[in-house]
Amino acid sequence: MRTSHTLLPTLREDPGEAEIVSHRLMLRAGMIRRVAAGIYTYLPMGLRVLRKIERIIREEMNRAGAQEVLMPILAPAELWEETGRWGFYGKELLRCQDRHGRNFCFGPTHEEVITDLFRREVRSYRQLPLNCYQIQTKFRDEIRPRFGLMRGREFLMKDAYSFDRDEESARMSYQRMYHAYEQIFTRCGITFRAVEADTGLIGGNMSHEFMVLADTGEETILYEETGTYAANVEQAEVLPPIKTSAPPLLPLERVQTPNAKTVDEVCQCLNIPPDRLVKTLLYQTGTEESVAVLIWGDHEANDIKIKKHLGVTDLALASPERVMTITSAPVGFAGPVGLSGIRILADQAVTQMTNFVVGGNAADLHLINVNWSRDIQVDSVADLRQAKAGDPSPKGNGLLSAAKGIEVGHVFLLGTKYSKAMEATFLDQKGKDTLAVMGCYGIGVSRTAAATIEQHHDTKGMIWPIPIAPFHIHLLPVTASDHVLHTAQTLYDSLSESGIEVLWDDRNERAGVKFNDADLIGAPFQLTIGGKGLAKGFVEVKRRSTGEVTQVEPEHIASFFQEHLGSYL
Amino acid sequence: MRTSHTLLPTLREDPGEAEIVSHRLMLRAGMIRRVAAGIYTYLPMGLRVLRKIERIIREEMNRAGAQEVLMPILAPAELWEETGRWGFYGKELLRCQDRHGRNFCFGPTHEEVITDLFRREVRSYRQLPLNCYQIQTKFRDEIRPRFGLMRGREFLMKDAYSFDRDEESARMSYQRMYHAYEQIFTRCGITFRAVEADTGLIGGNMSHEFMVLADTGEETILYEETGTYAANVEQAEVLPPIKTSAPPLLPLERVQTPNAKTVDEVCQCLNIPPDRLVKTLLYQTGTEESVAVLIWGDHEANDIKIKKHLGVTDLALASPERVMTITSAPVGFAGPVGLSGIRILADQAVTQMTNFVVGGNAADLHLINVNWSRDIQVDSVADLRQAKAGDPSPKGNGLLSAAKGIEVGHVFLLGTKYSKAMEATFLDQKGKDTLAVMGCYGIGVSRTAAATIEQHHDTKGMIWPIPIAPFHIHLLPVTASDHVLHTAQTLYDSLSESGIEVLWDDRNERAGVKFNDADLIGAPFQLTIGGKGLAKGFVEVKRRSTGEVTQVEPEHIASFFQEHLGSYL
């Protein structure tokens, strides 16, 4: 393609709206343009990347035995009411009414629609396993869309749904998808890690997220340096503490801690390290029940673990008014001693402590030398805190390390959550109605493009992995002589004919402008044709990722690129 | 693909919901399934056809110099307000509000979004002509969705938009698209005709519809048998009548016509042929103005021509109450004689009449021997009637013939309608701000699939043209012997390897069931492997379109199909 015939509006300046690298570079390189908050147009350069990712996904999904279908974007409310998600999904679900007043949503995910199809069309165990996928525009009405394609309101997804006759077979389908995802992200040329993850709004029994590793990632993952265990920080399990012999118990004391509400303030006031303190966090659940959760001073509570332990889906810190009602004190002085009419949960780590500090349930008051049994009764003890780097691995291979990641794929073993709610059954070998065991599997196509940039860029621009680069070669004639232009035309034609994708900068611009745009757009190879080099009988190939420059005779260019690109064509 | 691993739920019975052939056959052949009124899931067999049509469209659009982009489905109301279409488009426009209460529509067409992109990104005449297209799911909230994919609420479209520096260049862009459309539909293997058409809700200066010819079509087209002229019946021009010498004028008479309100009733009552009668149709416009339109008894009024003549967008027959107010008579007795306070338009044909019959503006009264000038003053005379088969061609090549068609494509020369409303300008060669001249070009991808079936089917099922068939070959082993199954496997493998698409019916079903499904699904070739034939050294190839059967030795099958399919691979 020639740039003069391409809608490729590159920007020299960083656009104000961009918050992260991929967003900034995709705008600057003319790949996307904003239409509304979280809603973008893909210009030709951006769409080419999406199409390449789609193609890899399609090939690997087909190879794994999945079948491509296309469900509608509009889903009738009735289907979502069957699973309860019409009410449960909240404001992120974009909804509309048709002219007759019927309710629809714009599917952010399609479990209901595919399960409805299954129960109508699949009769027998002989038709299983079944795995259907689609690549489709999805909607999520984010409260604060941001980061360009990373957290948009309209985005491109691959979603797949498997149906199996039993749990064992469903686990095999799950493994096939897990493997297909490894193939997909490997083929895209990105460094990723599959981690154990929470099942969230989708539900189910098991799930893994596929994380692109990048310092700019919003998610934290914890992993064994020497083993295979890896998990989202929200999901990572914490081992029970090792029992140590306890020092003698000291008498409980009340101490004044004026205005000391945070862990830091209390530690400073009492001149103690944070590991002497137990935080008392007050929550309220969706049913308006209140709960106290005890967490060690230098740990963080993990809301997902607390929710699971309580068996609730809604959980929020209690309001200051509620804190006052429960503790008779403002926020910052809650403590478990003498707290009544409320369940008290303790993270397993704090049960190993002796002579610790807690809030005194009165303004400016803390208690010191607090001890279990003697001073506090708890209702249950569990793993309720966030794991962190340095924790022992739950699988036993040394300590956990932390890394930042961007979620680009997510696989779920759903079990019978949806098939039960929607009565999606088949006849088993004995002719008995049996619930299908399901899995679902998503890939954020547009997000994968953005995550790749977060992982592959430098100060000058993007550095595309060959398999998903918008073009293989950026052809840069930098002298306006007939010889140079003729050579450019000849090389463009011959490379294009062999299936190599060439973006030809045929603008009448200075070499510096062309080089800057080429580094910005980040095609894997830059092919520069200059008058001086040509006089000496060569053109120059620069590899974008390494900066390495090779002089090649024009007549050997085709074979040079066949060698470097052949396996990707 | 093996049918045992494919979601291909064929039906033996006609489904009750289907109203037309394509709808019935797509349901029966397991290509689509209904999710809600006018909203479908495409199963693997249906999606394969869409993807093939998409591919042909993409290749021809690229060849014609258009660039693929992807605009969002959600379009902000503000853009549609700039062109006035937010109000003008009515209830067919599906709308929603986001969680912050901002209005969006689900674009049925994208003139506003692309024009906004143009005005932000294109500066200079050097960047023109520009033509951007996308293939995207579109929405239209039809009041009565029906006919399966033919008139759905969610459907797949290709839409393209061109921007040119002047009218002449815009006409060239239009011609390039017109030609590309001819290529696309020709390559799809369907018989079509491009016809002059009305510009409707899109607007503009000129448009052509691409019509698939089929007896089941909803549209009527008129065309020259011997020339090139063809038009949608709504658009077809009518030549002025040839002047004839008028007979002597007879005196006006009032006659009682009890209960005779329709043309038929009046003719019967007065014992005259319809061509003695002039109908007086009373309309009201969006601005509530009333208009009388005089049309010959055996002609039909053309509302689009009347709207254009009046320069209005809304036009409807006047209510009975309004008719009573204007004529002092119930519906059926309106006439132009003595009618005051209202504009009177006459179709050009009626001005050639003498001594004709009109309504008398009183219940049960008509006037006979009415004549122009003496009895009636009209405000204007124009071509206001529907053309019909047998009319002289407006281009002079004989009489017009009629045919039924299905609109699958539509090209519009928009002019500056949108660029003016949205101030989409570029700097011309003299550095002057100039409005871009636009065109827009649509193809109904899902509708093309349905229209193809309307044109290519028989009583047994679909008959796919090779280029867009879901599979090239339906492989039918009809004996369960090892020899037959081994041959099926061998042929399946060797054909698949050479890029030929084979659907292998590996079910344990009777030959009759397999043959029926194969005829229903309509792959161009059926390859039957039976025990008896194989013993004699041959397999059978049936061409679906002709029923012609050829016996081929298994070892020659690959070359047989290379010969018949090679140009389509």
Side-chain angles (χ1 to χ4, degrees):
Chain A
M1 242 151 77
R2 287 160 171 253
T3 52
S4 62
H5 292 71
T6 308
L7 186 56
L8 177 52
T10 54
L11 307 174
R12 291 182 198 187
E13 305 295 329
D14 279 344
E17 72 183 89
E19 296 153 298
I20 56 170
V21 170
S22 58
H23 189 193
R24 190 173 76 231
L25 290 176
M26 289 183 104
L27 286 168
R28 280 194 55 205
M31 296 178 78
I32 58 171
R33 284 296 181 263
R34 181 183 182 277
V35 174
I39 298 175
Y40 292 87
T41 288
Y42 299 92
L43 302 187
M45 209 60 48
L47 187 60
R48 289 178 74 94
V49 173
L50 294 193
R51 292 282 184 251
K52 291 203 173 179
I53 297 171
E54 281 181 13
R55 184 176 163 184
I56 290 172
I57 291 174
R58 210 165 254 134
E59 287 173 2
E60 295 300 329
M61 291 300 292
N62 293 345
R63 198 193 308 273
Q67 302 176 50
E68 190 172 3
V69 299
L70 185 59
M71 289 178 265
I73 288 173
L74 281 171
E78 295 75 36
L79 291 180
W80 279 65
E81 278 162 358
E82 286 191 56
T83 61
R85 290 208 300 176
W86 182 258
F88 187 63
Y89 217 91
K91 289 194 168 177
E92 282 198 3
L93 189 63
L94 188 67
R95 301 162 206 242
C96 75
Q97 283 199 335
D98 73 3
R99 66 196 295 160
H100 304 298
R102 291 190 204 98
N103 287 311
F104 288 85
C105 70
F106 291 82
T109 169
H110 274 62
E111 284 80 4
E112 284 80 1
V113 176
I114 194 84
T115 306
D116 180 55
L117 182 72
F118 179 91
R119 68 181 169 185
R120 289 165 188 273
E121 304 300 339
V122 177
R123 303 263 173 278
S124 158
Y125 73 93
R126 285 192 202 86
Q127 295 169 270
L128 303 182
L130 177 71
N131 186 338
C132 292
Y133 76 98
Q134 59 178 353
I135 297 178
Q136 187 186 46
T137 300
K138 295 274 194 277
F139 299 84
R140 190 170 48 204
D141 197 1
E142 291 275 356
I143 190 161
R144 202 159 84 81
R146 58 201 158 131
F147 303 151
L149 302 191
M150 210 63 97
R151 193 164 290 280
R153 296 200 287 176
E154 178 174 338
F155 49 95
L156 200 59
M157 282 279 294
K158 186 283 299 175
D159 47 326
Y161 307 89
S162 66
F163 296 85
D164 277 273
R165 59 175 79 173
D166 56 28
E167 175 88 12
E168 187 190 345
S169 171
R171 282 181 184 268
M172 285 168 62
S173 290
Y174 184 91
Q175 282 308 324
R176 264 195 301 277
M177 283 298 102
Y178 186 104
H179 179 67
Y181 276 37
E182 291 183 318
Q183 293 295 112
I184 288 165
F185 295 118
T186 302
R187 281 187 61 192
C188 284
I190 47 188
T191 306
F192 66 95
R193 181 123 199 188
V195 305
E196 292 181 11
D198 179 52
T199 54
L201 277 173
I202 305 287
N205 312 331
M206 174 165 79
S207 90
H208 284 89
E209 287 169 341
F210 286 76
M211 294 282 195
V212 170
L213 301 181
D215 295 339
T216 51
E218 277 192 283
E219 310 272 350
T220 301
I221 70 174
L222 296 173
Y223 62 97
E224 294 176 349
E225 293 275 5
T226 54
T228 58
Y229 179 78
N232 190 311
V233 67
E234 295 177 336
Q235 176 72 10
E237 200 185 323
V238 176
L239 291 179
I242 294 155
K243 297 235 176 196
T244 52
S245 58
L249 306 193
L250 301 176
L252 180 73
E253 287 177 44
R254 297 157 65 89
V255 292
Q256 290 297 314
T257 51
N259 293 320
K261 297 174 180 176
T262 65
V263 169
D264 282 354
E265 286 162 356
V266 175
C267 290
Q268 201 165 9
C269 179
L270 300 178
N271 195 22
I272 53 164
D275 65 6
R276 304 287 317 134
L277 193 74
V278 169
K279 293 185 279 192
T280 304
L281 303 169
L282 295 171
Y283 286 94
Q284 55 198 85
T285 68
T287 57
E288 298 300 302
E289 189 202 5
S290 297
V291 188
V293 178
L294 307 182
I295 302 282
W296 203 11
D298 53 3
H299 285 163
E300 295 299 325
N302 179 316
D303 288 1
I304 290 171
K305 290 179 180 175
I306 298 170
K307 279 186 205 172
K308 278 190 188 157
H309 185 76
L310 293 171
V312 300
T313 52
D314 278 351
L315 187 78
L317 283 173
S319 64
E321 295 72 31
R322 170 99 50 144
V323 171
M324 180 59 86
T325 307
I326 297 169
T327 67
S328 314
V331 172
F333 301 97
V337 179
L339 202 62
S340 62
I342 178 173
R343 270 211 278 176
I344 302 179
L345 316 181
D347 178 60
Q348 55 190 4
V350 299
T351 61
Q352 295 301 307
M353 295 172 68
T354 42
N355 301 325
F356 48 93
V357 175
V358 300
N361 293 328
D364 301 338
L365 183 70
H366 276 79
L367 307 182
I368 64 175
N369 298 329
V370 176
N371 284 290
W372 302 109
S373 309
R374 187 188 74 182
D375 306 319
I376 311 172
Q377 308 301 324
V378 296
D379 292 280
S380 58
V381 175
D383 171 15
L384 301 176
R385 75 159 169 103
Q386 199 93 307
K388 58 182 185 178
D391 282 346
S393 164
K395 293 286 184 284
N397 299 308
L399 305 183
L400 293 176
S401 297
K404 289 289 182 182
I406 300 161
E407 181 198 341
V408 289
H410 205 156
V411 293
F412 297 84
L413 186 64
L414 291 173
T416 55
K417 172 178 171 178
Y418 293 89
S419 50
K420 198 168 178 180
M422 299 182 69
E423 297 179 48
T425 61
F426 63 92
L427 294 177
D428 72 6
Q429 278 181 282
K430 293 172 186 157
K432 186 170 153 260
D433 261 339
T434 309
L435 290 174
V437 184
M438 292 174 58
C440 75
Y441 317 94
I443 292 180
V445 179
S446 36
R447 187 186 270 199
T448 298
T452 303
I453 297 169
E454 294 292 334
Q455 196 177 70
H456 294 272
H457 68 272
D458 61 16
T459 53
K460 294 174 178 172
M462 304 182 283
I463 306 170
W464 285 104
I466 294 172
I468 63 171
F471 285 90
H472 299 126
I473 299 173
H474 207 143
L475 176 62
L476 305 164
V478 292
T479 318
S481 74
D482 282 354
H483 189 191
V484 166
L485 295 181
H486 176 76
T487 306
Q489 180 78 58
T490 307
L491 293 182
Y492 178 79
D493 290 345
S494 75
L495 291 168
S496 300
E497 264 165 40
S498 53
I500 294 170
E501 298 163 358
V502 184
L503 178 64
W504 176 2
D505 190 342
D506 64 345
R507 296 174 302 172
N508 189 15
E509 285 281 8
R510 287 180 296 111
V513 171
K514 292 188 176 186
F515 289 143
N516 284 344
D517 271 0
D519 281 346
L520 173 62
I521 290 166
F525 294 97
Q526 294 170 15
L527 173 53
T528 303
I529 309 177
K532 288 182 191 165
L534 214 51
K536 294 179 193 156
F538 64 81
V539 296
E540 284 188 344
V541 178
K542 178 176 128 182
R543 188 141 196 160
R544 175 68 178 91
S545 56
T546 60
E548 180 195 355
V549 174
T550 313
Q551 297 182 340
V552 183
E553 293 165 7
E555 56 273 29
H556 294 144
I557 276 291
S559 61
F560 177 90
F561 282 117
Q562 275 298 337
E563 188 186 318
H564 285 82
L565 291 170
S567 60
Y568 299 103
L569 301 181
Chain B
M1 242 151 77
R2 288 160 170 253
T3 52
S4 62
H5 292 70
T6 308
L7 186 58
L8 176 54
T10 54
L11 307 174
R12 290 181 197 188
E13 306 295 329
D14 278 345
E17 70 182 269
E19 295 154 301
I20 56 170
V21 170
S22 58
H23 189 191
R24 191 172 75 231
L25 291 176
M26 290 184 103
L27 286 169
R28 280 194 56 204
M31 297 178 77
I32 58 170
R33 283 296 180 265
R34 182 182 180 278
V35 174
I39 297 175
Y40 293 87
T41 288
Y42 298 93
L43 302 187
M45 208 61 47
L47 187 60
R48 290 180 73 93
V49 172
L50 294 193
R51 293 280 184 253
K52 291 203 172 179
I53 297 170
E54 282 181 12
R55 185 176 164 184
I56 291 171
I57 290 174
R58 209 164 254 134
E59 287 173 2
E60 295 300 330
M61 291 300 292
N62 292 346
R63 199 193 308 274
Q67 301 176 51
E68 190 171 2
V69 299
L70 185 60
M71 290 178 265
I73 288 174
L74 281 170
E78 294 75 36
L79 290 180
W80 280 64
E81 277 161 357
E82 285 191 54
T83 60
R85 290 209 299 175
W86 183 258
F88 186 61
Y89 217 92
K91 290 195 167 177
E92 282 198 4
L93 189 64
L94 187 67
R95 301 160 206 245
C96 75
Q97 282 197 336
D98 72 6
R99 66 197 294 159
H100 304 298
R102 292 191 204 97
N103 287 310
F104 288 85
C105 69
F106 291 81
T109 169
H110 274 63
E111 284 79 5
E112 283 81 1
V113 176
I114 193 84
T115 306
D116 180 55
L117 182 71
F118 179 92
R119 69 182 169 184
R120 289 166 188 270
E121 304 299 339
V122 178
R123 303 262 173 280
S124 157
Y125 71 94
R126 284 192 202 88
Q127 296 170 269
L128 303 182
L130 176 70
N131 187 337
C132 292
Y133 76 98
Q134 61 178 352
I135 297 178
Q136 187 186 47
T137 300
K138 295 274 196 275
F139 299 85
R140 190 169 49 204
D141 197 1
E142 290 275 356
I143 190 162
R144 201 159 84 80
R146 57 200 158 131
F147 304 150
L149 302 192
M150 210 64 97
R151 193 165 288 281
R153 295 200 286 176
E154 178 173 337
F155 49 95
L156 199 61
M157 282 278 295
K158 186 284 297 176
D159 47 327
Y161 306 89
S162 65
F163 296 85
D164 278 273
R165 60 176 77 173
D166 55 29
E167 174 87 11
E168 186 189 344
S169 171
R171 282 181 184 271
M172 283 167 62
S173 290
Y174 184 91
Q175 282 309 322
R176 263 195 301 278
M177 283 296 102
Y178 186 103
H179 178 66
Y181 276 37
E182 291 182 318
Q183 293 296 111
I184 288 165
F185 295 118
T186 302
R187 281 187 61 191
C188 285
I190 47 188
T191 306
F192 66 95
R193 182 122 198 188
V195 306
E196 292 181 13
D198 179 51
T199 54
L201 278 173
I202 305 287
N205 312 330
M206 174 165 79
S207 90
H208 284 88
E209 286 168 341
F210 286 76
M211 294 281 196
V212 170
L213 302 181
D215 295 340
T216 51
E218 278 193 284
E219 310 271 351
T220 301
I221 70 174
L222 296 172
Y223 63 96
E224 294 177 349
E225 293 275 4
T226 53
T228 57
Y229 179 77
N232 190 311
V233 66
E234 294 177 336
Q235 176 72 8
E237 199 187 325
V238 177
L239 290 178
I242 295 154
K243 297 235 178 198
T244 52
S245 58
L249 307 192
L250 302 175
L252 180 72
E253 287 180 41
R254 297 156 66 91
V255 292
Q256 289 298 312
T257 50
N259 292 319
K261 297 172 179 179
T262 66
V263 169
D264 282 354
E265 287 163 355
V266 175
C267 290
Q268 200 166 10
C269 178
L270 299 178
N271 195 23
I272 54 166
D275 65 4
R276 304 288 316 131
L277 192 75
V278 169
K279 293 185 281 194
T280 304
L281 303 170
L282 295 172
Y283 285 95
Q284 56 198 83
T285 68
T287 57
E288 299 300 302
E289 189 202 6
S290 297
V291 187
V293 177
L294 306 183
I295 302 282
W296 203 11
D298 53 4
H299 285 162
E300 295 298 324
N302 180 317
D303 288 2
I304 291 172
K305 290 179 179 175
I306 298 168
K307 279 186 204 172
K308 278 191 188 156
H309 185 77
L310 293 171
V312 300
T313 53
D314 279 351
L315 188 77
L317 283 173
S319 65
E321 296 71 32
R322 170 100 50 144
V323 170
M324 180 59 86
T325 308
I326 297 168
T327 66
S328 314
V331 171
F333 301 98
V337 179
L339 202 61
S340 62
I342 178 173
R343 269 211 280 175
I344 302 178
L345 316 181
D347 177 60
Q348 56 190 2
V350 299
T351 61
Q352 294 301 307
M353 296 172 67
T354 43
N355 301 323
F356 48 92
V357 174
V358 300
N361 293 329
D364 301 338
L365 182 70
H366 276 80
L367 307 181
I368 63 175
N369 297 329
V370 176
N371 284 289
W372 303 107
S373 310
R374 186 189 73 183
D375 306 319
I376 310 172
Q377 309 301 323
V378 295
D379 293 279
S380 57
V381 174
D383 170 16
L384 302 177
R385 75 159 169 102
Q386 198 92 307
K388 57 183 184 176
D391 281 346
S393 164
K395 292 289 183 287
N397 300 307
L399 304 182
L400 293 176
S401 298
K404 289 289 181 182
I406 299 161
E407 182 198 341
V408 289
H410 205 157
V411 293
F412 297 84
L413 187 63
L414 292 173
T416 56
K417 173 178 171 178
Y418 292 89
S419 50
K420 198 168 179 181
M422 298 183 70
E423 296 179 48
T425 61
F426 62 92
L427 294 177
D428 72 6
Q429 279 182 281
K430 291 171 187 158
K432 187 170 152 258
D433 261 339
T434 309
L435 289 175
V437 185
M438 292 174 58
C440 74
Y441 318 95
I443 291 180
V445 179
S446 37
R447 187 186 270 198
T448 297
T452 302
I453 298 169
E454 294 292 334
Q455 193 177 69
H456 294 272
H457 69 271
D458 62 16
T459 54
K460 294 175 178 170
M462 305 182 282
I463 306 170
W464 285 104
I466 295 172
I468 62 172
F471 285 91
H472 299 126
I473 299 173
H474 206 143
L475 176 62
L476 305 165
V478 292
T479 318
S481 74
D482 283 353
H483 190 192
V484 165
L485 295 181
H486 177 76
T487 306
Q489 180 77 57
T490 308
L491 293 182
Y492 178 80
D493 291 343
S494 74
L495 291 168
S496 300
E497 263 166 40
S498 54
I500 294 171
E501 298 164 357
V502 184
L503 178 64
W504 175 2
D505 190 342
D506 63 346
R507 295 174 304 172
N508 188 17
E509 286 280 7
R510 286 181 297 110
V513 171
K514 291 188 177 187
F515 289 143
N516 284 344
D517 271 0
D519 281 347
L520 173 62
I521 291 166
F525 295 97
Q526 294 169 14
L527 173 53
T528 303
I529 309 177
K532 287 182 191 167
L534 216 49
K536 293 179 192 158
F538 63 81
V539 296
E540 285 189 344
V541 178
K542 179 175 127 181
R543 188 141 196 160
R544 175 68 179 91
S545 57
T546 60
E548 182 196 353
V549 175
T550 313
Q551 298 182 340
V552 184
E553 293 164 6
E555 56 272 31
H556 294 143
I557 276 292
S559 60
F560 177 90
F561 282 117
Q562 276 297 340
E563 189 184 318
H564 285 84
L565 291 168
S567 60
Y568 299 102
L569 301 181

